[in-house]
Amino acid sequence: MMTIEVVGDVMGSAFRLILIIALLAILPSLLTGLLVSIFQATTQINEQTLSFLPRMAVTLLMLIFAGKWMLTELIDFTRQLFEQAAQLVL
């Protein structure tokens, strides 16, 4: 039976998975941006493409390497959610 606790557990699991997947995509980009900003501050080079291109490259590489894992986790969560939904409705 669907109760508030069950809905809370499902929502908590969904938010946790979303947070992990988003952090895997965003955190390397943020760290690269920080390193490029430090480099720009020390060398006084103010080129916009210097800050954009490395972040984009790191984000794409991260999605290439971790994309399969991200998709697998989303598929597993969705499959588990549908299996739980069938049991909880009855």
Side-chain angles (χ1 to χ4, degrees):
M1 178 164 216
M2 282 294 254
T3 62
I4 297 295
E5 291 82 18
V6 173
V7 173
D9 289 341
V10 170
M11 293 297 290
S13 298
F15 285 132
R16 193 172 20 260
L17 182 62
I18 291 169
L19 183 66
I20 290 170
I21 289 174
L23 282 178
L24 278 176
I26 294 172
L27 194 61
S29 176
L30 290 174
L31 293 176
T32 304
L34 178 66
L35 290 174
V36 169
S37 295
I38 292 171
F39 174 75
Q40 284 181 330
T42 56
T43 60
Q44 296 181 354
I45 298 173
N46 290 326
E47 181 64 32
Q48 292 299 322
T49 57
L50 183 63
S51 65
F52 176 72
L53 291 177
R55 287 188 320 200
M56 185 178 71
V58 167
T59 303
L60 287 176
L61 286 173
M62 194 63 194
L63 289 176
I64 288 170
F65 289 123
K68 182 178 179 182
W69 178 83
M70 290 178 186
L71 188 60
T72 304
E73 289 295 315
L74 284 172
I75 289 171
D76 289 344
F77 179 75
T78 305
R79 185 174 293 132
Q80 179 186 5
L81 190 64
F82 278 113
E83 288 171 0
Q84 281 182 349
Q87 294 171 357
L88 291 174
V89 171
L90 298 176

